[in-house]
Amino acid sequence: MLGLEIEVGHDRRPVSYGIKTIRDLHTDRQLAYLLEAMSWIKREVHSPPLGRALRLAVSTSITSNNRLCGYATDYGRLAPLFSVRAFALPALTVELNPLHTSGGRGTLRAALSRVAASCSNEVRRNVLRGETVTPERMALARSAGTVAPGDSVKEIHSTPAADLCLTDPPYFDFIPYDTLSQVFRAWLAGRDLAGEPVLPAGDDPVQHFAQLLGTALANASKACVPGALVAFTFKGGEQGWSGVAGGLRLAGLRVTALWPVLADPGMGHHSGAGNCEFDMLVVCRPAPVCEPAPAHFDPSAWARAVSNWRPLSETDRRHMILAAKSLSPLRAVMTSATPSA
């Protein structure tokens, strides 16, 4: 299983480091732990829900048990996989004891605790009350549902129909998610979880990206109740935003709201003058329940609002202008006949 060759894609660094297979990403000790943990779950755990939870915990611990982990001197602890979103082999690999019961970042015990916390019926959030931010615990409503991996460019079946769609498509060619995720997919029985990644390709990369994204968003919208909200975050350059606009047109969606959200604040590997800290949250509805809006999106208003509490970089300012320019022609408002979702 772990002899699976790494798909190089646009990043040839693994091969240049001498890493050709997923097995090569782990030391012998790490492989012994991961293989025995997965085998034990398969052999000893007969409850499907418990087995899924335990496999998720072991899979999570892969993040801190591989040869791409270095030492974050500013934090004084291990830097996990893809703290830089690429295959980056550190000069000195850091290896922890995944079975340690207290210390160390990324132990199996810590992963089990995170999985258990995700099953809680309560969530902790920082809430703004007046001018004071205070931590509060809130009840979390849960409903029965299923997780069904599949190809988003193919038809999506949802019974009953979904009330809304929240998604996070690839940022054009900014982060190679499909290439990076193979580190985890290699440990699953069904490694071919999806089809062609939604990435630019061919002689017209913008149109190719728009076609794939538009098909995926159209399928998601059709799987929802009529007029349901479709929302996603995005960041990118001119080509990326052109692809988003083209995809929305193909999907028959119109933009009813657009605003920036802080996603990657300047810290660690993501700091620097050229770092884009804000994503744009794009909120859409199907064209039949919308009518065109007369005004364009105003990036200067976003910049003023953000600057009131956080310095805004020139990179983010340009990013907001690109988003507004690309999506303003698709701006719309919901009609009074819009179904509630």
Side-chain angles (χ1 to χ4, degrees), residues 148-154 178 181 185 190-198:
D151 187 346
S152 63
V153 180
K154 296 180 180 178
D178 184 70
S181 69
R185 285 186 279 126
R191 294 192 292 265
D192 298 328
L193 296 179
E196 180 185 0
V198 181

Side-chain angles (χ1 to χ4, degrees), residues 7 73 76 85 99 108 134 138 189 210 212 227 240 272 296-298 312:
E7 302 164 8
T73 56
R85 298 184 184 110
L99 300 179
L108 179 59
T134 57
M138 306 176 184
L212 291 175
H296 293 289
F297 292 113
D298 183 7
L312 186 67

Side-chain angles (χ1 to χ4, degrees), residues 213-225:
L213 179 62
T215 303
L217 291 175
N219 287 336
S221 182
K222 290 175 184 175
C224 296
V225 297

